[in-house]
């Protein structure tokens, strides 16, 4: 009755569309071929972004996103397994540069996380995660996904290129060969 009258309580609330969509995929509320009602009149997200994001999350995290950690996983230090990065996700306008980055991650204890950061902070955080994983010989899968409504297929390439440059700068700084500045131009 409450659902019919429009006075129902939501089952969950989220800080972002990406966080909500990841939750839907992780908790098996969505899989390819499922239909759902999307009311986009009160949001900047387009239906094509929602569909594409759900598809990317499902494909990247697998058809069974519930990672089942082993006993050994729980007894060892938690580490990153997978990271999906989405530059400028949900921006109304299509800026010529990356402003924000949404990150969805899965760790070896089976925990999913969502985080949004400005471009420079996200870039440095991802660079540090990649370098630490390389030093520990514990690589993780990473996918960069540019939302279709941004109409800029170069966003993913720009993030990956900038990440490579940031990692080179951090490597120089940690090895002591020389000090370098981060130039993302």
């Amino acid at each position: 009755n409450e659902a019919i009258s429009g006075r129902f309580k939501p089952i969950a609330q989220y800080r972002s569309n990406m966080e909500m969509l990841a939750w839907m995929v992780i908790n098996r509320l969505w899989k390819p071929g499922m239909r759902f009602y999307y009311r986009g009149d009160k949001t900047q997200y387009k239906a094509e972004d929602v569909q594409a994001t759900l598809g990317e999350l499902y494909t990247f995290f697998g058809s069974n996103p519930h990672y089942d950690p082993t006993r050994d996983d729980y007894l060892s230090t938690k580490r990153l397994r997978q990271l999906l990065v989405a530059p400028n996700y949900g921006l109304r306008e299509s800026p010529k540069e990356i402003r924000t980055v949404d990150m969805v991650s899965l760790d070896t204890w089976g925990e999913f996380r969502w985080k949004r950061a400005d471009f420079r902070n996200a870039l440095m955080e991802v660079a540090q995660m990649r370098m630490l994983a390389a030093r520990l010989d514990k690589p993780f899968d990473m996918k960069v996904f540019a939302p279709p409504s941004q109409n800029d297929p170069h966003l993913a390439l720009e993030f990956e290129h900038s990440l490579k440059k940031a990692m080179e700068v951090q490597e120089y700084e940690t090895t002591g060969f020389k000090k370098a500045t981060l130039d993302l131009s």
Side-chain angles (χ1 to χ4, degrees):
N1 287 342
E2 288 183 6
I4 295 170
S5 67
R7 296 178 301 163
F8 61 90
K9 293 181 182 179
I11 58 173
Q13 292 182 330
Y14 301 93
R15 296 165 288 184
S16 84
N17 195 45
M18 178 66 81
E19 183 182 27
M20 177 193 64
L21 297 175
W23 182 85
M24 287 173 58
V25 169
I26 292 160
N27 288 290
R28 300 178 186 175
L29 296 176
W30 185 90
K31 64 181 180 180
M34 291 183 78
R35 294 172 44 118
F36 65 95
Y37 177 71
Y38 173 71
R39 242 179 91 189
D41 58 336
K42 296 182 182 188
T43 179
Q44 70 270 24
Y45 298 100
K46 295 180 181 178
E48 68 180 349
D49 281 332
V50 172
Q51 280 295 118
T53 303
L54 286 167
E56 286 293 329
L57 288 164
Y58 187 86
T59 300
F60 183 66
F61 289 110
S63 58
N64 181 6
H66 290 285
Y67 169 66
D68 294 321
T70 64
R71 183 176 187 276
D72 290 337
D73 286 330
Y74 286 124
L75 294 174
S76 62
T77 303
K78 179 171 39 174
R79 64 179 177 78
L80 191 60
R81 284 189 74 240
Q82 292 174 285
L83 177 66
L84 183 117
V85 176
N88 287 352
Y89 191 80
L91 294 185
R92 271 186 209 276
E93 74 281 355
S94 183
K96 296 299 178 197
E97 76 269 347
I98 298 173
R99 293 190 182 157
T100 64
V101 177
D102 280 33
M103 298 174 278
V104 178
S105 62
L106 170 65
D107 65 36
T108 54
W109 288 2
E111 297 171 338
F112 280 83
R113 299 221 190 288
W114 165 84
K115 181 178 184 177
R116 175 174 288 158
D118 67 69
F119 175 53
R120 199 168 290 276
N121 287 337
L123 188 64
M124 299 313 283
E125 185 176 337
V126 173
Q128 289 171 357
M129 288 188 286
R130 297 288 290 213
M131 292 176 69
L132 177 62
R135 277 196 302 274
L136 298 175
D137 196 26
K138 303 281 185 184
F140 59 89
D141 293 332
M142 187 175 102
K143 165 94 173 151
V144 181
F145 165 66
S149 70
Q150 290 300 316
N151 198 23
D152 189 352
H154 301 289
L155 283 175
L157 293 174
E158 181 183 340
F159 185 87
E160 290 171 350
H161 176 72
S162 297
L163 178 61
K164 182 179 177 188
K165 289 173 83 172
M167 289 173 63
E168 289 172 358
V169 167
Q170 287 188 14
E171 186 64 35
Y172 283 132
E173 288 178 354
T174 57
T175 58
F177 288 121
K178 66 178 183 178
K179 294 287 181 191
T181 59
L182 181 60
D183 178 16
L184 300 177
S185 56

